[in-house]
């Protein structure tokens, strides 16, 4: 089986996702936010391409059922209910709600994936839950692609370190083939280990978020397994994989 990492979404060819389990990693912050929202009882998260589409899709719902969410240049979008700070997605705010969300890199990366077998949202906060699904894929020799959202087409340290944590956690087997980015992601992960705060401190987006006053988001995003959910994207929406939708 293949276990490949892609440091940016633009490196991925359609053939590299077809039939695979695909993990989307945008640790700061879209993946973390989606896992937090579903972990806190949101009904569903609908990722869309931009703010205008959030507005147009919102007309399909009663206003009380939905939250308009997302960021532009890290900040909440004017007129929306909520930005992209994971800890704003508390149970009191999100329980039972449909969340329409747009973000700069995370949602775009997700929407670009073609013909995958399953697409799940991965981060540190739901690490072990997604890893369990990956292990099932590995045991049935299903190919896996881990796609880092990156930043406007560029490499990001935090997504690559998180990808490496997933790769490293899959026991080595002679029949598992990895690409060079997977090997490199493991080297990055080994350098930082559990010091995720250091990854964020040394990453450009982590520094930008801290300077913009979103330092608490970094703390939330570093809490491994704080939201043990598997967010799965199907029929243009993300819901929590549960026993009724087990793979
Ligand atoms: C994104 O999707 O680009 C991000 O999650 C940006 C952010 O909210 O910091």
């Amino acid at each position: 089986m293949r276990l490949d990492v892609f440091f940016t979404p633009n490196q991925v060819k359609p053939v590299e996702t077809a039939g695979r389990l695909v993990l989307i990693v945008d640790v700061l912050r879209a993946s973390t936010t989606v896992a937090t929202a579903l972990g806190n009882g949101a009904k569903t998260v609908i990722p869309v391409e931009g703010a205008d589409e959030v507005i147009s899709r919102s007309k399909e719902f009663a206003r009380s059922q939905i939250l308009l969410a997302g960021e532009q240049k890290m900040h909440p979008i004017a007129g929306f209910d909520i930005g992209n700070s994971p800890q704003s997605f508390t149970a009191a705010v999100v329980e039972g709600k449909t969340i329409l969300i747009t973000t700069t890199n995370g949602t775009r990366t997700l929407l670009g994936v073609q013909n995958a077998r399953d697409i799940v949202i991965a981060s540190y906060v739901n690490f072990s839950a997604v890893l369990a699904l990956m292990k099932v894929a590995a045991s049935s020799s299903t190919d896996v692609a881990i796609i880092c959202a990156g930043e406007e087409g560029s490499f990001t340290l935090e997504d690559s370190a998180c990808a490496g944590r997933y790769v490293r956690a899959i026991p080595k087997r002679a029949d598992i083939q990895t690409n060079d980015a997977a090997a490199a992601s493991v080297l990055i992960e080994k350098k930082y280990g559990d010091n995720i705060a250091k990854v964020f401190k040394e990453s450009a987006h982590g520094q930008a978020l801290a300077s913009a006053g979103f330092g608490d988001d970094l703390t939330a995003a570093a809490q491994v397994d704080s939201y043990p959910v598997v967010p799965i994207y199907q029929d243009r929406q993300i819901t929590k994989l549960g026993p009724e939708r087990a793979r």
Side-chain angles (χ1 to χ4, degrees):
M1 66 163 284
R2 291 217 59 92
L3 170 51
D4 295 323
V5 169
F6 300 93
F7 286 141
T8 66
N10 40 309
Q11 294 170 342
V12 188
K13 301 185 193 82
V15 69
E16 289 164 324
T17 51
R20 293 195 189 198
L21 169 65
V22 175
L23 274 59
I24 304 293
V25 180
D26 185 7
V27 170
L28 298 176
R29 297 164 292 177
S31 294
T32 302
T33 295
V34 168
T36 304
L38 291 173
N40 279 335
K43 184 177 166 198
T44 180
V45 178
I46 301 180
V48 299
E49 196 60 63
D52 291 347
E53 201 182 337
V54 169
I55 306 285
S56 61
R57 291 291 309 276
S58 71
K59 303 199 166 92
E60 298 166 21
F61 302 87
R63 189 64 181 90
S64 60
Q65 291 175 342
I66 56 169
L67 289 173
L68 313 188
E71 57 75 37
Q72 276 167 351
K73 299 193 186 329
M74 299 178 288
H75 292 278
I77 297 167
F80 279 26
D81 301 309
I82 194 165
N84 194 28
S85 284
Q87 79 272 25
S88 308
F89 290 68
T90 59
V93 173
V94 304
E95 201 153 23
K97 301 274 188 185
T98 291
I99 300 171
L100 292 159
I101 192 167
T102 188
T103 71
T104 312
N105 303 285
T107 51
R108 219 176 276 163
T109 302
L110 171 63
L111 295 170
V113 176
Q114 293 178 26
N115 300 323
R117 194 193 83 168
D118 286 310
I119 306 174
V120 299
I121 312 301
S123 67
Y124 289 112
V125 301
N126 63 343
F127 177 75
S128 298
V130 171
L131 177 64
L133 193 71
M134 234 179 118
K135 286 185 170 166
V136 172
S139 67
S140 62
S141 288
T142 299
D143 293 337
V144 176
I146 304 177
I147 306 179
C148 300
E151 179 70 20
E152 307 273 10
S154 298
F155 173 94
T156 59
L157 188 61
E158 68 278 10
D159 292 343
S160 311
C162 185
R165 193 178 178 102
Y166 281 101
V167 175
R168 202 174 166 200
I170 295 294
K172 284 207 181 332
R173 256 178 20 210
D175 67 319
I176 298 183
Q177 295 168 322
T178 54
N179 64 358
D180 286 3
S185 71
V186 169
L187 293 178
I188 295 166
E189 202 282 327
K190 277 185 183 160
K191 173 172 161 53
Y192 291 97
D194 285 332
N195 198 348
I196 298 163
K198 189 159 189 257
V199 176
F200 296 162
K201 202 162 172 223
E202 294 185 358
S203 83
H205 196 52
Q207 290 167 10
L209 283 166
S211 309
F214 296 112
D216 289 351
D217 292 2
L218 306 181
T219 309
Q223 305 307 309
V224 176
D225 291 339
S226 51
Y227 290 98
V229 295
V230 178
I232 186 159
Y233 179 63
Q234 272 178 345
D235 304 327
R236 301 176 68 201
Q237 56 183 336
I238 308 167
T239 52
K240 194 166 71 176
L241 186 66
E244 73 285 0
R245 295 182 67 181
R247 274 353 222 190

